[in-house]
Amino acid sequence: MGAYADTYRRSLDDPEGFWLEAAQAIDWVREPARALDASDAPLYRWFPDGELNTAYNALDRHVERGRADQPALIWDSPVTGSQRTYTYAELRDEVARFAGVLTSLGVTRGDRVIIYLPMVPEAAIAMLGCARIGAVHSVVFGGFAPKELAARVEDAKPKVIVAASCGIEPTRVVEYKPIIDEALAATEHQPDRVVVLQRDAARAELRERDADWAELMAAASPVDPVPVAATDPLYILYTSGTTGKPKGVVRDTGGHAVALAWSMGAVYDIAPGDVWWTASDVGWVVGHSYIVYAPLLIGATTVLYEGKPVGTPDAGAFWRVIAEHRVKALFTAPTALRAVKRVDPEAKEIAHYDLSEFGTLFMAGERLDPETYHWAHDSLDVPVIDHWWQTETGWPIAANPRGLEPMPVKPGSATLPVPGWDVRILGQDGEDLPAGKEGAIAIRLPLPPGALPTLWGDDARYVEAYLSRYEGHYLTGDSGYRDEDGYLFVMGRTDDVINVAGHRLSTGSMEAVLAAHPAVAECAVIGVHDELKGQLPRGFVVLKAGADIPEDQLRQELVAAVRADIGPVAAFRDVSVVEALPKTRSGKILRKTMRGIADGRDEPVPSTIEDPTVLTALRTILRPE
Ligand code: COA
Ligand code: AMP
């Protein structure tokens, strides 16, 4: 057997031995004697008797072992015209001091801290500062509106919020403080303090509860890492579910450290000392895992980039960063490359930069369409590696294991299941489907270390949402198939989650906003194909009888409402007024049929449809040709 097949088999046949061995790459305060605790199945725990500290593993141990002067983090911010490099010693000191700030504010092990910071080094410092004292961070993406922030505050109940005065988008400065104030005006739960990092682009006015990051840092004393249980939560990351209420994905401490450290070598072929760049945002799982934790856990150098792929200042922004920092591998979303391709279709900019150190381009977050794959591959002349995973899983489920055994690339496929993940394609009745047949992608339990053990404070929702559809399996929410060689092709979500520019969003929460408008009787939001962003949300509303509002005005109000309630990141701009929505006789809206029409697929029309003529009217809107 090859290295991949051998490792994969061993990970499933002997998970205990496999993961205890992988755990050797982590420094434990108390070494785990056991890997898997199945005593509360289907809720599994990894390394139940282990104790460690993630920040110690990400920083101190590298300083102690000769990496003190190696760059740990390079901040490159074209939007502010700044760059800053932190060595491992410097980053450790900043993190220890920020941990001191949190301690001085009364934050202790198990307390939650919401982090609402843009792509600045302080985001990583705040995350690792929490980890250092065993506090549980929850990072909120800057593109969300106050209501979304409020929902997270209410669920996580943070003792402290750490924020910046603003984020910087190419077209505008986004002031964070008014967003926080608005969110906290609506929540029952109130944090004790809001720590604000003042940025020159827009300084915030501080009130009684607020404290200035720089002042607190100047007064703080560094604190040592606190040992925590491997099963302690490291963070909560909220993600869109089928309903409007976001799901608080919990990440544990020990399993996460072991899995991420293992993935850097086996999947990404990155070694200590290599320069690695993930162009995403710390607000997403990709940012948590592969901007902050994984590269630092292994002693690599991570690039933290504040800017867009294009226009800051030019179409060569990505290539400039790769050349300037001698990046060995880049991980980004296909939508980012499509944005580059749109302004520089012949990739002429690449010739201006020395990319000789650059070896691999990793892509995830959404389907990598073959056209983007070929463009990237032909332009860069390096392997372009698609891989598939989710917020819940924390690290790749299917990938081309570059460090273990590079596999031939098949455009459109995320390649093979990663060791640890027992991937199945299931039919309606839970039967394993043969090669070539599309079905629900599920993973046989137990999930490997690093995957979510539960949802924050809600074991029942975890079981209900993920483990109840197929007994003994985790439901990914994606459908797909495997080919004769076992390659996995992920085709898309089977639920109401959509993926807009690599951002995961819930159409259910957009529908809730539309439905709240006084003129709207009923509505549906579906994701439709978009050349640049992969998908875009598209709304349909039916007016209440007697509603007296011009259509243009209604459309504007609905677009503004989604932006105000969910945030600009929803990119909701398109809503049509229709006479009726296609429904079954029992009143269920046929969203799948609508999606099929929009994407040009001729989905079979369910025999239970109430009124087939409604579809004819929809077709003229969705496919006007
Ligand atoms: N804070 C505030 N607003 C934000 C924001 C943030 N962090 N991120 C995006 N927005 C806003 C944008 O300014 C835009 O606002 P507008 O409607 O006023 O123009 C809106 O949200 C939509 O943004 P987006 O869809 O992201 O488009 P964009 O043109 O700003 O950027 C990409 C396009 C491709 C560069 C960007 O979407 C991207 O990098 N996506 C990859 C996401 C990712 O990394 N996913 C994880 C998997 S790797
Ligand atoms: P998120 O939780 O934001 O990482 O989004 C996860 C979802 O994005 C998955 O369930 C998929 O629907 C989609 N996704 C992520 N990576 C890929 C990929 N490589 N190919 C296809 N879909 C992907």
Side-chain angles (χ1 to χ4, degrees):
M1 273 205 275
Y4 163 74
D6 182 37
T7 310
Y8 185 67
R9 263 295 24 108
R10 203 156 62 81
S11 75
L12 298 190
D13 293 347
D14 176 24
E16 190 72 17
F18 184 87
W19 289 113
L20 279 177
E21 194 180 305
Q24 297 296 312
I26 292 301
D27 281 30
W28 300 86
V29 177
R30 180 161 175 236
E31 188 136 352
R34 283 197 299 151
L36 182 65
D37 175 4
S39 59
D40 195 22
L43 303 178
Y44 296 89
R45 294 287 186 270
W46 286 95
F47 310 112
D49 56 352
E51 275 180 23
L52 73 161
N53 182 280
T54 295
Y56 174 82
N57 274 279
L59 300 167
D60 305 59
R61 64 172 180 158
H62 304 311
V63 175
E64 290 162 12
R65 292 182 204 152
R67 295 192 184 278
D69 299 328
Q70 179 198 305
L73 186 148
I74 300 170
W75 178 52
D76 186 310
S77 170
V79 295
T80 59
S82 331
Q83 288 197 9
R84 206 187 302 157
T85 297
Y86 293 80
T87 63
Y88 266 98
E90 287 165 345
L91 192 60
R92 190 240 359 229
D93 292 348
E94 290 287 305
V95 167
R97 194 170 283 278
F98 190 71
V101 167
L102 292 172
T103 305
S104 74
L105 300 179
V107 177
T108 56
R109 179 175 169 187
D111 287 340
R112 273 81 58 213
V113 174
I114 280 196
I115 298 175
Y116 192 55
L117 284 164
M119 288 292 286
V120 290
E122 287 80 359
I125 292 168
M127 291 163 77
L128 289 158
C130 290
R132 197 169 186 85
I133 58 169
V136 182
H137 63 68
S138 187
V139 182
V140 179
F141 178 65
F144 282 125
K147 267 198 183 167
E148 291 284 332
L149 176 60
R152 287 152 175 78
V153 169
E154 217 65 293
D155 197 66
K157 302 196 176 11
K159 196 165 218 171
V160 165
I161 295 182
V162 183
S165 56
C166 66
I168 301 163
E169 286 294 291
T171 52
R172 66 193 193 287
V173 171
V174 182
E175 292 194 39
Y176 281 14
K177 195 59 201 339
I179 295 177
I180 297 168
D181 290 341
E182 194 182 327
L184 294 183
T187 55
E188 203 174 299
H189 175 81
Q190 293 296 316
D192 295 347
R193 303 301 294 269
V194 177
V195 178
V196 180
L197 174 76
Q198 293 283 19
R199 307 190 78 194
D200 289 340
R203 296 180 73 80
E205 199 184 307
L206 302 191
R207 301 187 192 167
E208 209 178 316
R209 172 168 49 184
D210 308 329
D212 182 284
W213 169 292
E215 284 175 18
L216 290 175
M217 282 292 264
S221 310
V223 302
D224 286 335
V226 172
V228 301
T231 52
D232 271 13
L234 173 70
Y235 69 75
I236 309 165
L237 179 56
Y238 288 88
T239 191
S240 302
T242 300
T243 65
K245 188 173 181 269
K247 294 168 170 167
V249 168
V250 174
R251 193 77 59 215
D252 68 2
T253 302
H256 172 255
V258 170
L260 259 55
W262 187 83
S263 73
M264 281 311 271
V267 175
Y268 298 104
D269 195 23
I270 292 294
D274 286 344
V275 183
W276 161 261
W277 176 27
T278 298
S280 176
D281 191 287
V282 284
W284 308 115
V285 71
V286 172
H288 280 63
S289 294
Y290 293 107
I291 295 174
V292 180
Y293 285 112
L296 297 177
L297 280 166
I298 64 152
T301 299
T302 186
V303 177
L304 191 137
Y305 176 75
E306 186 183 25
K308 304 273 170 177
V310 285
T312 50
D314 54 46
F318 265 25
W319 324 132
R320 196 254 320 146
V321 174
I322 292 174
E324 204 167 316
H325 305 302
R326 307 173 75 81
V327 169
K328 183 176 170 193
L330 166 66
F331 175 176
T332 193
T335 187
L337 281 202
R338 288 195 296 268
V340 178
K341 178 170 165 256
R342 196 169 59 162
V343 292
D344 183 16
E346 287 162 37
K348 288 190 179 135
E349 284 294 326
I350 292 177
H352 300 145
Y353 299 94
D354 172 8
L355 304 189
S356 53
E357 304 281 325
F358 185 53
T360 319
L361 175 63
F362 291 96
M363 309 280 262
E366 53 172 327
R367 181 170 170 267
L368 173 57
D369 53 290
E371 198 184 324
T372 306
Y373 166 81
H374 287 296
W375 181 82
H377 184 264
D378 297 348
S379 309
L380 286 160
D381 197 23
V382 296
V384 175
I385 306 297
D386 186 11
H387 62 315
W388 167 69
W389 50 294
Q390 319 178 299
T391 305
E392 289 86 343
T393 68
W395 63 289
I397 311 169
N400 195 325
R402 302 289 300 168
L404 211 52
E405 183 185 352
M407 296 287 169
V409 170
K410 293 191 190 185
S413 169
T415 314
L416 296 163
V418 171
W421 301 95
D422 190 352
V423 176
R424 305 294 176 100
I425 309 290
L426 302 182
Q428 279 299 326
D429 302 321
E431 73 282 14
D432 280 303
L433 294 180
K437 275 257 180 252
E438 184 174 338
I441 314 181
I443 298 155
R444 246 191 104 68
L445 297 177
L447 298 178
L452 81 171
T454 189
L455 294 176
W456 180 250
D458 205 345
D459 288 347
R461 189 176 180 200
Y462 171 58
V463 172
E464 202 271 320
Y466 298 101
L467 309 183
S468 60
R469 174 66 182 86
Y470 298 110
E471 215 201 316
H473 293 80
Y474 163 89
L475 187 71
T476 65
D478 282 299
S479 78
Y481 66 93
R482 292 171 91 161
D483 72 5
E484 296 293 345
D485 300 322
Y487 275 54
L488 186 68
F489 290 76
V490 180
M491 303 309 288
R493 299 283 307 194
T494 55
D495 53 14
D496 296 328
V497 167
I498 58 170
N499 202 309
V500 179
H503 309 311
R504 176 164 157 182
L505 297 160
S506 148
T507 52
S509 63
M510 295 183 213
E511 288 179 2
V513 178
L514 302 189
H517 192 285
V520 171
E522 55 182 353
C523 63
V525 176
I526 57 170
V528 299
H529 175 76
D530 180 72
E531 281 296 320
L532 182 64
K533 299 198 179 191
Q535 279 187 305
L536 275 178
R538 186 150 183 198
F540 299 86
V541 295
V542 178
L543 296 187
K544 279 184 185 156
D548 186 20
I549 178 168
E551 266 190 42
D552 267 357
Q553 184 189 334
L554 175 68
R555 274 198 290 268
Q556 277 171 25
E557 287 180 12
L558 293 174
V559 167
V562 173
R563 194 175 171 96
D565 281 7
I566 296 174
V569 69
F572 182 84
R573 294 203 180 84
D574 196 343
V575 53
S576 310
V577 177
V578 291
E579 287 294 319
L581 293 167
K583 286 191 197 165
T584 61
R585 282 188 288 275
S586 59
K588 194 169 166 294
I589 296 172
L590 293 165
R591 292 183 180 78
K592 189 161 174 247
T593 312
M594 293 171 74
R595 283 198 300 266
I597 297 173
D599 289 346
R601 285 190 313 271
D602 278 319
E603 298 274 345
V605 177
S607 57
T608 52
I609 191 163
E610 187 186 36
D611 176 5
T613 61
V614 173
L615 285 182
T616 319
L618 260 185
R619 264 196 197 98
T620 58
I621 297 176
L622 282 165
R623 278 154 68 183
E625 79 286 357

